[in-house]
């Protein structure tokens, strides 16, 4: 058995897929999740796929004594992958204090507990949102950080700074900050996937819910951007590809392969895809139409961003492998499975 990893937010979308990949790679996983935007049934899905039931504690990372209790209950945690966070950009504008409390206090608690329990490394979920609208594309890790457009984005920036300052102060652990582009899709078994509470804010879940008839029509936020077809461009990456990068990152931390005590990697495919292109790719791959209409721009949206993933490719030896077609098909299979199970 390989080492024990604490996965915060492990019942969530990226956390659950990463737990699967960690277990497949032989790691022992302890999940903590407050289930604020997820469901305990996800643990069953993880067990179905891997044959292993991860340890699960319904604990909120902002609750210091409860979090400390997890380290006491599961001695020997060597690494942390910290996903647990509130992540709705729009909601963060209306509930900034909630976002600052959840997203900052969780990290502070973990960083404070790490030395006491001799945890050697932490992988942090950050976002390409820290780059704002980059001047040059594709964007690499040396691009300047720009002022955040939302409290959510600001929490990612501040969390990166907290880790940087802690490392500078000489803490005895290492960190890797992963800046995600746009994760989409689901596990090929359709046992786990993205299940947002309420009306989805992100493109793919809204699109698949429209395709299956739960939503009447998908709104495309703007076709007057300076892009070839006028809609926004993003770098959509299969969630399983993204998850595999976490396994490489934690291994790098725990096996002493990091070049520095703190490293940053962009996780994307390197391909920019517009909203309209994504809709077309979905329709062509699945044969299912997506009713959609063009509406005005969404406040705070970035026009176009996609990754230069070369540094991650070369240094981590990791590369996004799934095609866009397989990725959107996996999202559709997951939506179909939700209906089959009577969940949505
Ligand atoms: C946003 C955040 C990102 C965060 C992620 C997690 C920004 C700039 N980015 O990503 O930091 O990690 O959410 O939730 O704040 N779209 C439509 N119709 C829809 C929904 C989306 O046209 O109904 C378009 C958007 O305008 C955008 C693209 O689809 O161009 C992707 O949107 P979305 O899935 O919400 O992700 P981001 O805004 O890129």
């Amino acid at each position: 058995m390989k080492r024990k990893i604490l996965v915060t937010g492990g019942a969530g979308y990226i956390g659950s897929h990463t737990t699967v990949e960690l277990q497949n790679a032989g790691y022992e996983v302890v999940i903590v999740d407050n289930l604020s935007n997820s469901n305990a049934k996800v643990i069953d899905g993880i067990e179905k796929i891997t044959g292993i039931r991860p340890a699960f504690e319904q604990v909120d990372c902002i609750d210091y004594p409860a979090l400390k209790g997890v380290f006491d209950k599961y001695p020997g945690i060597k690494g942390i992958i910290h996903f647990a966070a509130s992540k709705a950009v729009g909601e963060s504008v209306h509930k900034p204090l909630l976002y600052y409390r959840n997203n900052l206090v969780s990290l502070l608690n973990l960083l404070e507990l790490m030395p006491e329990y001799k945890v050697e490394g932490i992988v942090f979920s950050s976002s390409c949102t820290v780059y704002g609208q980059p001047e040059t594309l594709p964007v690499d890790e040396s691009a300047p950080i720009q002022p955040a457009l939302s409290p959510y984005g600001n929490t990612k920036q501040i969390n990166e700074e907290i880790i940087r300052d802690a490392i500078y102060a000489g803490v005895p652990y290492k960190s890797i900050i992963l800046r995600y582009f746009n994760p989409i899709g689901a596990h090929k078994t359709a046992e786990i996937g993205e299940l947002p509470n309420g009306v989805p804010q992100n493109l793919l879940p809204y699109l698949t819910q429209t395709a299956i008839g739960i939503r009447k029509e998908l709104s495309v936020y703007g076709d007057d951007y300076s892009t070839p077809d006028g809609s926004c461009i993003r770098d959509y990456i299969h969630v399983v590809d993204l998850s595999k990068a976490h396994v490489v990152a934690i291994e790098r931390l725990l096996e002493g392969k990091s070049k520095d005590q703190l490293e940053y990697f962009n996780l994307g495919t390197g391909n920019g895809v517009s909203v309209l292109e994504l809709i077309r790719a979905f329709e062509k791959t699945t044969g299912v139409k997506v009713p959609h209409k063009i509406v005005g721009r969404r406040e705070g949206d970035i026009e176009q961003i996609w990754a230069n993933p070369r540094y991650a490719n070369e240094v981590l030896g990791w590369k996004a492998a799934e095609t866009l077609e397989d990725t959107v098909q996996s999202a559709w299979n997951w939506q179909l499975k939700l209906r089959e199970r009577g969940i949505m």
Side-chain angles (χ1 to χ4, degrees), residues 128-129 131-134 137 139 181-182 233-235 271-272 302-307:
C128 67
T129 194
Y131 299 120
Q133 176 59 64
L137 287 166
V139 62
F181 285 68
N182 289 56
I233 296 177
R234 296 287 185 273
D235 184 336
N271 301 317
I302 281 160
E303 179 174 274
Q304 45 186 326
I305 187 164
W306 64 96

Side-chain angles (χ1 to χ4, degrees), residues 111-164:
L111 296 183
E112 280 176 3
L113 286 163
M114 284 176 75
E116 187 179 340
Y117 290 89
K118 301 199 164 38
V119 183
E120 294 166 19
I122 181 164
V123 174
F124 177 67
S125 292
S126 191
S127 165
C128 67
T129 194
V130 301
Y131 299 120
Q133 176 59 64
E135 278 186 14
T136 44
L137 287 166
V139 62
D140 68 25
E141 292 79 356
S142 68
I145 303 302
Q146 304 216 40
L149 293 172
S150 68
Y152 159 79
N154 206 22
T155 66
K156 291 294 171 193
Q157 293 195 5
I158 297 171
N159 275 337
E160 288 200 2
E161 289 166 1
I162 290 171
I163 294 173
R164 184 198 62 199

Side-chain angles (χ1 to χ4, degrees), residues 68 137 185 201 221 291:
K68 186 167 164 47
L137 287 166
Q201 306 295 313
Y221 297 137

